[in-house]
Amino acid sequence: MNKIKVGVVGTGFIGPAHIEALRRLPQVEVAALCEVTAELAKEKADALGIARSYTFEELLKQDDIQAIHICTPNFLHYSQSKAALLAGKHVICEKPLAKDLSEAEELVELAAKTGLVNAVHFNLRYYPLARQMKSMREKGELGEIYSFIGSYLQDWLFYETDYNWRLEPDKSGDSRAIADIGSHLMDILEYITGLKTVAVMADFNTVHKTRKKPLKAVETYSGKMLQPEDYADVPITTEDHANVLLRFDNGNKGVITVSQVSAGRKNRMSLEISGSKKTFNWCSESPNEMWIGNRDKANEILMRDPSLVNEDVRSTITFPGGHNEGFPDTSKQMFKEVYAAIAQGKQPENPTFPTFADGYRELLICEKILESNKAQAWVTI
């Protein structure tokens, strides 16, 4: 088997997550790692067991590297994705695709022109029961969709001493909670329901108007507390919490809440979709079960099991029922579809995986939500 050789750019939380998922695909080899300096790239590559290490410019010159994973801070996504496409590489980019719509539009057009495989890492679509909800909706089991109630709650920025590059607009953009986790929520909403969001009304809250930025290196979730003199006070302009009312193209409504300051909620996405026949409820903290609500008979719990889900969902499940699958499996299942396309050498006409066009769509929605919060008014998408 001639393996597809891959280069991964960036070694924060998500870079190694990509690497772990890629290593579970038999036709893929993580051949190279890239960081901001050759020294750091070598250090990280050695730690992760990757033979070759480069700076970004050097990585693009490697003729045997067919695909590039962009796992860097947000402000680098546009320039690095563009450079990789121009170098003839297939690109899998972390979200957001870019910092603004004009950059994202350029990437969509460039990707289409090259014909190269392009994907954005909206991996949460690949929880098997998310696809099951989509499949059941497509088969008419949900009926007309009446409402969507969603939330995505975390606590990793709960304290004023919690700090990360995502708090800095020049690196992350003008929106934080919505752009970071709300984008996953808006993507999976439209993916499952088939609806388009046509208008938004947003209200943001910055709980910590000032945060204490560590003057020494400290890892997210490490629990290490520094001394008062080890911090610098930094004003915060992006949202810790947001509520958004939604209007859909079928005339009905929805609401989402996102928060990065909800104590005890480590990474909880919850979806409740109510239709004219049933209600679906699913939560990422218990991803292997789905609640199905009925009016005139007992409610049901569907467990993730390849023998119980719809036939078109089974490809997202590797293990038998009762053998739980979770967050790391979502990236593996997404990359499985992406690399089937890369093996063919071009972007499919109707990709099953999220593309640069999907990345553009989520940026558009996020920008309209940001505009709505500033105006404190409904904004049409």
Side-chain angles (χ1 to χ4, degrees):
M1 179 188 295
N2 291 321
K3 292 193 174 186
I4 300 167
K5 289 186 169 59
V6 179
V8 176
V9 187
T11 59
F13 159 69
I14 204 64
H18 279 236
I19 291 166
E20 190 275 338
L22 289 166
R23 283 174 163 166
R24 298 167 70 188
L25 301 180
Q27 79 276 32
V28 175
E29 177 188 345
V30 182
L33 189 68
C34 165
E35 259 296 351
V36 289
T37 65
E39 293 75 20
L40 182 59
K42 178 69 164 61
E43 176 189 334
K44 294 291 186 178
D46 288 346
L48 290 164
I50 297 171
R52 295 153 60 185
S53 60
Y54 302 101
T55 61
F56 184 69
E57 292 73 18
E58 292 170 339
L59 177 63
L60 295 187
K61 295 175 184 176
Q62 307 306 308
D63 292 336
D64 64 329
I65 299 295
Q66 295 172 254
I68 302 285
H69 284 242
I70 307 296
C71 303
T72 48
N74 299 356
F75 74 101
L76 293 169
H77 292 179
Y78 160 74
S79 61
Q80 291 181 337
S81 294
K82 180 178 178 179
L85 287 171
L86 291 173
K89 313 295 187 185
H90 306 288
V91 178
I92 298 87
C93 184
E94 264 303 321
K95 51 82 198 160
L97 178 59
K99 280 185 68 180
D100 60 51
L101 284 174
S102 61
E103 288 183 350
E105 185 174 21
E106 183 182 346
L107 288 177
V108 171
E109 291 174 353
L110 178 59
K113 183 178 179 181
T114 63
L116 293 163
V117 173
N118 59 93
V120 175
H121 192 229
F122 285 120
N123 58 304
L124 303 190
R125 292 185 182 190
Y126 284 81
Y127 280 108
L129 294 179
R131 186 166 287 190
Q132 175 70 12
M133 286 187 279
K134 172 183 169 65
S135 177
M136 291 175 69
R137 187 268 304 168
E138 289 174 338
K139 294 179 185 300
E141 296 179 51
L142 182 60
E144 179 191 357
I145 295 172
Y146 288 164
S147 70
F148 180 96
I149 302 169
S151 65
Y152 203 144
L153 310 177
Q154 299 176 331
D155 73 354
W156 68 289
L157 293 173
F158 180 72
Y159 295 115
E160 66 172 358
T161 50
D162 290 326
Y163 203 86
N164 181 270
W165 61 265
R166 293 184 184 279
L167 292 155
E168 300 173 4
D170 63 326
K171 297 182 179 66
S172 186
D174 292 333
S175 171
R176 177 177 20 107
I178 283 289
D180 184 18
I181 53 180
S183 59
H184 274 298
L185 198 53
M186 296 302 300
D187 176 74
I188 206 168
L189 182 170
E190 295 194 341
Y191 173 71
I192 292 172
T193 67
L195 298 175
K196 292 295 183 185
T197 305
V198 296
V200 293
M201 173 65 181
D203 194 24
F204 290 2
N205 187 23
T206 303
V207 173
H208 297 300
K209 307 295 191 293
T210 301
R211 287 182 179 266
K212 295 186 178 299
K213 181 177 182 178
L215 300 175
K216 297 179 178 179
V218 58
E219 294 181 7
T220 303
Y221 289 121
S222 68
K224 296 176 182 176
M225 296 301 292
L226 305 182
Q227 299 303 310
E229 62 270 19
D230 296 326
Y231 294 103
D233 287 343
V234 175
I236 301 299
T237 60
T238 54
E239 74 280 4
D240 292 314
H241 177 279
N243 301 306
V244 188
L245 297 175
L246 311 168
R247 291 176 180 165
F248 302 126
D249 56 355
N250 74 342
N252 287 323
K253 313 292 175 66
V255 61
I256 63 167
T257 294
V258 299
S259 173
Q260 295 175 322
V261 290
S262 295
R265 296 302 190 190
K266 304 305 177 186
N267 191 53
R268 184 183 193 272
M269 182 168 71
S270 177
L271 315 174
E272 181 141 326
I273 309 165
S274 295
S276 58
K277 296 181 180 179
K278 297 179 183 294
T279 293
F280 297 160
N281 181 283
W282 176 88
C283 175
S284 65
E285 289 185 341
S286 51
N288 290 277
E289 62 181 53
M290 167 189 167
W291 182 87
I292 302 171
N294 300 295
R295 169 63 188 265
D296 297 318
K297 63 176 183 177
N299 298 328
E300 305 162 76
I301 298 290
L302 173 64
M303 304 299 291
R304 180 211 54 84
D305 186 322
S307 69
L308 299 177
V309 300
N310 292 351
E311 186 175 353
D312 57 337
V313 179
R314 291 172 191 160
S315 65
T316 65
I317 299 176
T318 299
F319 297 103
H323 298 76
N324 289 337
E325 293 173 285
F327 179 83
D329 300 281
T330 62
S331 294
K332 181 190 77 170
Q333 299 295 353
M334 176 180 160
F335 297 159
K336 187 167 68 176
E337 294 184 355
V338 171
Y339 278 86
I342 289 175
Q344 298 299 313
K346 62 180 181 179
Q347 187 82 342
E349 284 189 23
N350 297 297
T352 54
F353 51 84
T355 67
F356 279 15
D358 295 302
Y360 175 88
R361 171 71 183 168
E362 293 319 307
L363 265 180
L364 172 63
I365 294 173
C366 287
E367 288 207 2
K368 294 299 184 181
I369 289 173
L370 191 63
E371 182 183 335
S372 171
N373 175 68
K374 289 178 180 177
Q376 288 290 285
W378 281 96
V379 171
T380 301
I381 297 175

